[in-house]
Amino acid sequence: MSTTAPQADAPVEGATWWAARVREGDMSAVEVIERHLERIRERDAAARAFLFVDEKGALERAAAVDRARADGAALGPLAGVPVALKDLFVTKSMPTTAGSRILEGYVPPYDGHAALALAGAGGVIVGKVTLDEFGMGSAGEHSSFAVAENPWSADHRVGGSSSGSAAAVAHGLVPAALGTDTGGSVRWPASCTNLVGLKPTYGRISRHGMIAFASSLDQAGPMARTVEDVATMLSILAGPDRHDATSLDTPVEDYVASCREPVRGRTVGVVRRAIDDDRVHPDVRASVQRALAALADAGVALVDVELPSMDLWVPTYYVICCAEAASNLARYDGMRYGRRVAGADLAETIERTRTEGFGPEVQRRILVGTFVLRKDSYDAYYGAAVRARARISAELDRALATCDALALPVSPEPAIPKAREADDPVTAYLRDVFTVAANLAGLPALSVPAGFATSDGATLPVGLQLVGRRLGEGPLLSLAGAVERILGAGRRRPGDKAP
Ligand code: GLN
């Protein structure tokens, strides 16, 4: 680990940087992959990011990239770049567990959209990374297999549920990873590890082959060290897909160009109530304010916006995500995929499979979801949540009619300390207070490195959250690009001295 301050003009060794090495012939794709596989062998025992590494397959795919280059074929934007997938994306040649014992041993018969699109752009999927079971959690602790470590602090969690995706990039094992975000699971671990993480507009990226948690909220989201890398991945993944009827058939913009566009004349709506909330750590507040000041210096107009429905966000999200989870997870019965624990008859087999296969957080959500969907509680809970969701969505759209993006913290506090008192579920759920609204409204949102917080003696990264208009990924990436260039916070690596 380096102990010098990061150089303001040195290139960041991100996904596009590695792609340029291969394209320009500085290194072969096989060399790039070998180097990263070596890092995985050396560091993953400490990072605990990977659940499965496909060394042989990755080297074969890299060799194919090198052959294509030798033949003079056009190389994709990620040619030769190692990528890790959250183990919620199905992959034909690799096991897919969703972080759950119930899918242990399952090897899907097909590649989903993410695996196909990334490979189509020359990306080399090196393996599958850990997560909270089915994406349910915020600290990575609800994985049945591996709890990823945060390279910024041995005493803090990496953030979840895309904990392996964040750890794999933050530990330098791969330059880019794909996560999923149902209520913040890309933005929050990105914020905890000084990465850029984007949750696109609902439907911008096909969900084909992405194991469902809450179908009306789930989106895949790229995580990487730079805004340009995230934009590059979005360009590859976005677009209509005949396998997902909710994928949007709207043109895919040049997102890489967007992240370099000037921001002068843009308007950002400042969600004062979130920033000034008593629960917000003073260094989180200061980082967000510094990022906003930087945008103002770059010519962005800041306006205050009111979002009176904020108190409804967490309860609405948890009723809806549990209802959808209860329904989506009904398919895991031991008959079709993964694990089966035999009982005396069919009913007992299903019961034992689900009791032993699902961890406690997943069982809790299935129970809550089943309760809120019961005939006699449906209207008071699920129906009420659907109505609240419409109100929240209308309110965000109204606020975004006056600005290009909303600015607020990702979460009230920096990374979660390991040594905290065991959380009751509600305390854990309340950490999602600032992220879930974007999912409820289907809007794009990202986290971009904005500063650092000192907490329990550790220096922990803090992201700024920006929420954009429906399909407003372009302006969102422009604003994030400006924050990145002006603040330079994302350049700092674990162990670096403050610049
Ligand atoms: N922390 C939230 C939850 O536990 C979000 C999870 C996610 O985005 N996958 O539901």
Side-chain angles (χ1 to χ4, degrees):
M1 256 180 212
S2 69
T3 50
T4 49
Q7 289 280 308
D9 51 356
V12 172
E13 293 183 18
T16 36
W17 185 86
W18 286 104
R21 301 287 68 70
V22 173
R23 200 171 46 246
E24 288 162 23
D26 303 337
M27 284 177 102
S28 70
V30 166
E31 281 168 332
V32 172
I33 297 304
E34 269 172 349
R35 182 176 296 197
H36 286 89
L37 289 173
E38 200 175 295
R39 291 185 187 178
I40 294 170
R41 281 193 293 268
E42 280 169 9
R43 300 185 206 163
D44 194 49
R48 314 244 319 131
F50 278 87
L51 296 178
F52 180 80
V53 182
D54 183 20
E55 292 213 9
K56 189 165 163 281
L59 287 168
E60 279 166 15
R61 290 187 288 278
V65 169
D66 288 333
R67 278 197 302 279
R69 186 174 182 279
D71 292 346
L75 294 183
L78 283 183
V81 177
V83 181
L85 295 185
K86 183 177 186 174
D87 204 17
L88 211 49
F89 291 96
V90 305
T91 40
K92 189 173 181 179
S93 52
M94 303 178 211
T96 299
T97 65
S100 181
R101 296 229 175 266
I102 209 150
L103 277 176
E104 214 170 355
Y106 173 57
V107 182
Y110 70 104
D111 272 324
H113 168 73
L116 289 174
L118 292 168
V124 177
I125 293 159
V126 292
K128 310 293 289 290
V129 286
T130 194
L131 67 155
D132 286 298
E133 193 176 352
F134 286 97
M136 300 177 192
S138 303
E141 289 163 333
H142 296 309
S143 167
S144 302
F145 306 115
V147 182
E149 292 288 333
N150 191 337
W152 290 90
S153 163
D155 299 324
H156 291 80
R157 291 295 175 208
V158 75
S161 67
S162 306
S163 47
S165 311
V169 180
H171 283 270
L173 309 180
V174 286
L178 197 60
T180 68
D181 190 311
T182 303
S185 282
V186 161
R187 288 161 281 162
W188 167 236
S191 172
C192 293
T193 51
N194 216 27
L195 302 177
V196 183
L198 168 70
K199 180 205 88 75
T201 303
Y202 183 75
R204 181 71 297 193
I205 298 179
S206 164
R207 288 179 295 115
H208 176 243
M210 193 173 107
I211 293 178
F213 159 12
S215 312
S216 77
L217 303 162
D218 298 340
Q219 262 294 283
M223 300 167 78
R225 287 187 59 194
T226 66
V227 176
E228 185 183 3
D229 283 359
V230 160
T232 302
M233 289 174 78
L234 178 64
S235 309
I236 292 165
L237 293 160
D241 175 14
R242 68 185 176 87
H243 295 297
D244 176 3
T246 64
S247 66
L248 298 171
D249 191 5
T250 37
V252 175
E253 294 161 45
D254 184 347
Y255 298 118
V256 176
S258 303
C259 63
R260 299 194 195 109
E261 258 163 31
V263 291
R264 182 166 299 282
R266 295 229 174 257
T267 305
V268 165
V270 179
V271 188
R272 281 273 167 238
R273 188 171 149 211
I275 299 169
D276 294 340
D277 191 300
D278 286 347
R279 292 167 292 183
V280 172
H281 187 290
D283 294 347
V284 171
R285 185 176 299 124
S287 298
V288 169
Q289 282 165 341
R290 209 175 309 117
L292 290 172
L295 286 172
D297 280 349
V300 172
L302 303 179
V303 295
D304 284 354
V305 297
E306 300 282 339
L307 298 172
S309 70
M310 197 180 289
D311 295 336
L312 295 176
W313 294 356
V314 167
T316 302
Y317 168 79
Y318 275 93
V319 169
I320 288 177
C321 83
C322 290
E324 294 187 18
S327 163
N328 274 323
L329 272 57
R331 72 189 72 174
Y332 303 103
D333 52 11
M335 300 299 126
R336 287 168 280 200
Y337 335 83
R339 185 180 163 114
R340 175 184 304 166
V341 185
D345 53 25
L346 180 64
E348 197 187 302
T349 299
I350 293 175
E351 188 180 326
R352 290 187 61 183
T353 299
R354 290 170 65 83
T355 304
E356 292 182 29
F358 290 134
E361 181 60 25
V362 172
Q363 294 198 17
R364 179 179 299 122
R365 296 200 192 197
I366 291 172
L367 288 175
V368 171
T370 306
F371 172 77
V372 301
L373 290 174
R374 269 170 51 132
K375 188 158 163 270
D376 50 1
S377 40
Y378 182 94
D379 195 57
Y381 292 93
Y382 185 71
V386 169
R387 290 188 291 276
R389 180 181 192 170
R391 183 175 145 195
I392 293 163
S393 185
E395 198 173 288
L396 290 180
D397 284 343
R398 233 179 356 258
L400 282 159
T402 65
C403 56
D404 298 292
L406 304 170
L408 66 171
V410 177
S411 184
E413 296 203 56
I416 303 167
K418 286 181 184 171
R420 70 191 185 282
E421 296 291 313
D423 272 352
D424 64 285
V426 174
T427 305
Y429 298 167
L430 285 171
R431 288 203 180 86
D432 301 330
V433 55
F434 300 140
T435 45
V436 293
N439 303 77
L440 289 167
L443 300 174
L446 57 74
S447 173
V448 59
F452 296 87
T454 306
S455 185
D456 314 297
T459 299
L460 301 167
V462 175
L464 165 74
Q465 181 178 202
L466 295 169
V467 178
R469 291 183 187 152
R470 198 167 312 281
L471 292 168
E473 277 83 357
L476 210 55
L477 290 162
S478 308
L479 291 163
V483 170
E484 176 179 70
R485 280 191 301 277
I486 302 168
L487 296 180
R491 295 186 159 274
R492 190 160 156 194
R493 306 304 305 143
D496 281 347
K497 288 212 182 81

